[in-house]
Amino acid sequence: MEICKNAKCFLDYISAGRPDTAAEILSNLANNCDHKIRRRVAENKNTPTDVLRRLSQDTHPEVKIAVATNPRASDEIIYRLCQDDDPSVRFAIAEDLSIDDYYLELLLEDENPYVSSRAQDTLALKQANQQSSIKRTARIFQWTDYTTNPLRFA
């Protein structure tokens, strides 16, 4: 996979992904003509929300998907991306386990059957993981009770 054709492009790509890159530089890199660099800016957890808002309107779906999965993306941005014209953007949101259930429930009603089905699968998986986590926590408490008071179980 070819990322960049020259040294400047390569340095921009690296800078866009670095956690210590200044917000002003990230804002400038968000205007880069190469979508791979814009995607890196969108993936960067330190990208300011206003830059993410601008990138959420990018023409390339990979950039919009990266915005949707960035923890700093505001509710307004994610809501707008849930209604994006490109089904690949909505599908990516529908399969993101870290996305709030509210957005998955919105995507259950998506006109694209692949998107709505994936949202349903993701919700089911999240619920199963939650139940599993509850069972593991109960086992830990049970084990803690046994180790602190073994006669209780005799």
Side-chain angles (χ1 to χ4, degrees), residues 9 30-31 36 60 69 77-79 84 95 100-102 104 115 117 119 129 133 140 144 147 149 152:
C9 181
N31 297 322
K36 294 178 195 92
H60 204 283
T69 59
I77 292 171
I78 296 172
Y79 182 80
D84 195 83
E95 70 179 358
D100 191 274
D101 289 357
Y102 171 77
L104 293 173
V115 173
S117 176
N129 285 345
S133 177
I140 289 169
T144 304
T147 57
N149 185 6
R152 178 173 172 223

Side-chain angles (χ1 to χ4, degrees), residues 26-77:
L26 289 170
S27 181
N28 291 335
L29 290 171
N31 297 322
N32 196 290
C33 62
D34 189 337
H35 79 275
K36 294 178 195 92
I37 292 172
R38 296 192 312 273
R39 183 189 69 220
R40 287 282 284 182
V41 172
E43 291 169 343
N44 192 320
K45 291 175 180 28
N46 292 322
T47 299
T49 305
D50 63 309
V51 176
L52 291 174
R53 187 175 296 110
R54 187 168 20 122
L55 289 171
S56 72
Q57 298 170 2
D58 198 274
T59 57
H60 204 283
E62 285 182 26
V63 176
K64 293 191 246 185
I65 291 167
V67 169
T69 59
N70 188 313
R72 290 188 79 170
S74 68
D75 289 339
E76 171 235 331
I77 292 171

Side-chain angles (χ1 to χ4, degrees), residues 94-108:
E95 70 179 358
D96 184 358
L97 286 169
S98 68
I99 207 78
D100 191 274
D101 289 357
Y102 171 77
Y103 301 109
L104 293 173
E105 290 167 4
L106 277 178
L107 292 171
L108 285 174

